[in-house]
Amino acid sequence: METKIFKNTAGGAAEIIKRGGLVAVPTETVYGLAANALDQAAVSGIYEVKGRPAIKPLSLMVPDPAAMDEYCIGVPAQARTLAAKYWPGPLTIVMKAKPGIPSIVLAGGSTVGLRCPDHPLTLALLRGCHVPLAAPSANPSGAESARDASKVLEYFDGKIDAVIDGGHCGLGRESTIIDMCAAPYRILRQGALPADDIADTLADTLKIVGITGGTGCGKTTALNELQEMGALILDCDAIYHELLENSRELIAEIDKFFPGAVQDGVLDRKALGALVFTDEEALRDLNIITHKYVHIEVRRRLREFAMAGGAIAAIDAIELFSSGLNKRCFKTLAVLSDREHRVQRIMSRDNITREYALMRINAQRPPEYYESRCDFTLYNNADREQFRNDCRQLFKEMFNNG
């Protein structure tokens, strides 16, 4: 067999594919060995030429995200999000396969990986032949991946029908593979696209509600309603106190900027309070440090939740705006209450005196601060059941219209 070389053109490669031939194609990662994925005999040729074990399934090269609905069932919204951002690009998304894909491609399984390669010649081939391509890397199984046409010919000259010479592949690593058949989503192979980028993209699509307001206003009731809707609840005050117990990096930074506040690796909260609560500049410096570490932890938890298939989350933070966490939120809600209701709640919750409860309230921002900055405001001055109903109605409006 003579192996044809199409230099910087898809040439007659589409016709070769249509009649069941094998064509090596360039991508942004490495060269692939392509055949009509819907032609069982052609796909058998890939396994034979590569010496690929029959138990290893093949992914499909497709021209655009619309192919998801053509070849897969139960496509999650998160998969569409990733395809919209990273296709064409080095990402293979595994989903449940529709009937009609040859069993040889699936290696007897029920799932299929889809990938849209970022190379103009291979995209032109896909659009020209009007079929998906089964295209594992163009190398004998176990051998080094081919990054240029000469390496492909070294492996397969005379054994395949053609090579599209599209030059040197820039990335030189295979695509990253993510299994999105069911949550939690799993990275099956770390390739050219970092897993952190994938998690960040999914986290950015979460509908996050920022909830703020002074102590004793009843934010917990609103958060409980969101939790019942499946939301991840992030209590920034609780996260901060967890970090004080578990984050060596945070403690080390506090120790560096506030000498005497840390003894034998343990934070002395009274000593720290004595340093910052009478010094506005020192308190501002402490907030800069703590906000940074809370941000990092919030981001980590949002990424983890998104990779688990989550869709909505809530951030509970008194300093929602000054910390910058409001920028992560698609909507913000101020939960407010009159002074007497707040006093009674704080006294009951924390078992403190009326005087101490008032002192805490007076040390916080006025209600107008929150109301003027938030998208929505709820007043928690009625009975608890009425407030819960108000929350449910608002969140229904929020998510249906947001």
Side-chain angles (χ1 to χ4, degrees), residues 46-314:
I46 293 178
Y47 281 95
E48 182 179 349
V49 169
K50 277 182 60 75
R52 183 181 178 90
I55 61 171
K56 294 183 68 174
L58 296 171
S59 59
L60 305 185
M61 281 188 181
V62 295
D64 52 53
M68 287 180 164
D69 293 313
E70 191 169 354
Y71 302 113
C72 302
I73 57 176
V75 178
Q78 291 90 339
R80 300 185 195 278
T81 294
L82 293 181
K85 178 159 186 177
Y86 295 114
W87 283 4
L91 177 66
T92 298
I93 303 174
V94 177
M95 292 169 286
K96 295 179 181 178
K98 272 188 175 179
I101 299 174
S103 60
I104 189 172
V105 173
L106 310 180
S110 60
T111 64
V112 65
L114 267 59
R115 156 156 156 71
C116 180
D118 190 11
H119 197 289
L121 295 179
T122 301
L123 287 172
L125 174 61
L126 283 161
R127 292 170 185 139
C129 65
H130 304 292
V131 294
L133 299 177
S137 56
N139 55 280
S141 288
E144 177 187 359
S145 297
R147 297 180 64 179
D148 54 48
S150 63
K151 191 67 174 179
V152 175
L153 290 169
E154 179 184 322
Y155 289 143
F156 299 128
D157 192 13
K159 300 178 182 178
I160 63 176
D161 295 275
V163 177
I164 298 176
D165 186 351
H168 189 78
C169 296
L171 296 177
R173 292 184 67 190
E174 286 83 357
S175 66
T176 297
I177 301 176
I178 182 170
D179 182 347
M180 303 192 77
C181 294
Y185 308 128
R186 297 180 298 127
I187 301 297
L188 302 181
R189 180 180 72 192
Q190 177 60 70
L193 179 64
D196 282 353
D197 288 2
I198 294 171
D200 279 335
T201 297
L202 294 182
D204 288 343
T205 67
L206 293 172
K207 287 193 171 182
I208 302 172
V209 181
I211 295 187
T212 190
T215 185
C217 286
K219 297 187 295 295
T220 299
T221 301
L223 291 165
N224 287 342
E225 292 302 316
L226 283 168
Q227 192 166 36
E228 288 188 12
M229 297 171 64
L232 169 70
I233 306 301
L234 297 172
D235 180 338
C236 289
D237 187 58
I239 289 173
Y240 169 60
H241 286 97
E242 287 177 29
L243 290 171
L244 289 178
E245 297 294 329
N246 304 318
S247 174
R248 294 180 180 179
E249 293 83 1
L250 172 58
I251 295 300
E253 197 158 345
I254 291 175
D255 189 28
K256 177 181 177 181
F257 287 93
F258 302 97
V262 177
Q263 301 293 333
D264 298 322
V266 178
L267 178 68
D268 184 332
R269 295 185 185 181
K270 289 185 177 180
L272 179 62
L275 291 169
V276 302
F277 289 137
T278 57
D279 185 333
E280 287 188 7
E281 186 174 346
L283 181 58
R284 185 171 60 251
D285 290 342
L286 176 63
N287 285 336
I288 290 171
I289 294 170
T290 57
H291 289 166
K292 176 177 71 174
Y293 285 92
V294 169
H295 269 266
I296 291 170
E297 181 61 15
V298 165
R299 175 172 172 265
R300 185 192 69 78
R301 295 188 189 191
L302 289 172
R303 288 166 55 187
E304 185 178 87
F305 182 65
M307 286 293 286
I312 60 176

